[in-house]
């Protein structure tokens, strides 16, 4: 089982460049999320999706866009990268969250380390 | 403003002893709490959870305690093992929310 797969794992960008991070899950999960991890800040939610064709803003959405054209994929885009977006990005997915009997856990990918110079 | 706080950035414990990790939250709507464990260069993995209808949940060496009146939870690891050395994140959500709010994490180092 691949679980949640993120590509690329590493990327270096110059300020102003654009890029897309791809997240793919093979668990037929409805919900998908993009988090960023920064020292001393923990994991902060950027955007999330509750199903194919839907997206919503999280805590720190500015400078990012997302799309969920297929249930198994969730794309995170940076249109004009800034040094403040240097971070480790994690994609996660989950079943119908908080459904009876579910542990409510999120399944995370291995992370994508992005450096913006 | 972080709604989930882990005020101890690091914890060092001797192998075989108890590790106690603390977490405080401010949102009174939170009613479900989880702990995640993260090794370097890997994604976080689910460890244990607790619903607000309980005050304790145990899974092997891991026990989570919830004190709703104090808005505080703790994770106990007994006995601590070298493989427990990792970053531990506390997370919380409200019943009608799809999202988890995470704390900043506590780095646990288990000394031989």
């Amino acid at each position: 089982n691949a679980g949640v797969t993120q590509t690329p794992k590493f990327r270096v960008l110059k300020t102003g460049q654009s890029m897309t991070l791809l997240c793919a899950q093979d668990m037929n999960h409805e919900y998908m999320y993009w988090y960023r991890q920064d020292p001393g800040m923990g994991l902060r939610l950027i955007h999330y999706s509750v199903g194919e064709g839907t997206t919503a803003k999280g805590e720190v959405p500015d400078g990012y866009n997302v799309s969920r054209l297929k249930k198994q994929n969730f794309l995170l885009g940076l249109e004009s990268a800034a040094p403040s977006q240097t971070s480790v990005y994690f994609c996660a997915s989950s079943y119908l969250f908080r459904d009876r009997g579910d542990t409510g856990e999120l399944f995370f990918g291995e992370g994508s380390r992005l450096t913006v110079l | 403003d972080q709604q989930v706080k882990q005020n101890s950035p690091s914890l060092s414990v001797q192998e075989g002893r108890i590790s106690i990790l603390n977490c405080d939250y401010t949102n009174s709507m939170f009613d479900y709490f989880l702990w995640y464990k993260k090794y370097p260069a890997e994604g976080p993995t689910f460890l244990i959870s607790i619903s607000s209808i309980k005050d304790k949940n145990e899974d092997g060496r891991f026990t989570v305690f919830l004190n709703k009146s104090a808005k505080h939870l703790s994770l106990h690891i007994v006995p601590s093992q070298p493989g427990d050395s990792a970053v531990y994140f506390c997370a919380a959500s409200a019943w009608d929310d799809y999202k988890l709010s995470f704390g900043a994490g506590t780095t646990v180092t288990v000394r031989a």
Side-chain angles (χ1 to χ4, degrees), chain A:
Chain A
N1 264 348
V4 179
T5 303
Q6 296 180 224
T7 53
K9 299 275 190 296
F10 302 94
R11 184 74 187 268
V12 178
L13 288 178
K14 294 181 179 178
T15 297
Q17 287 185 317
S18 63
M19 74 157 296
T20 300
L21 295 175
L22 171 64
C23 176
Q25 53 96 2
D26 62 1
M27 296 173 281
N28 201 35
H29 286 166
E30 287 293 333
Y31 301 154
M32 297 187 74
Y33 314 80
W34 276 106
Y35 285 87
R36 59 178 287 174
Q37 184 194 6
D38 302 292
M41 304 293 291
L43 293 160
R44 292 182 294 168
L45 183 65
I46 305 171
H47 286 280
Y48 64 101
S49 168
V50 302
E52 182 178 316
T54 73
T55 62
K57 294 180 180 180
E59 295 175 69
V60 288
D62 294 342
Y64 304 96
N65 57 75
V66 287
S67 65
R68 183 107 180 261
L69 299 179
K70 293 183 179 180
K71 185 177 182 179
Q72 64 267 34
N73 296 337
F74 195 28
L75 279 64
L76 178 71
L78 286 72
E79 291 186 346
S80 180
S84 60
Q85 294 177 304
T86 293
S87 187
V88 180
Y89 292 85
F90 288 99
C91 177
S93 68
S94 70
Y95 290 110
L96 186 63
F97 189 49
R98 303 298 300 277
D99 205 9
R100 236 173 244 287
D102 185 10
T103 60
E105 67 175 290
L106 270 60
F107 295 82
F108 283 86
E110 293 184 342
S112 298
R113 181 174 294 276
L114 174 66
T115 302
V116 183
L117 303 175

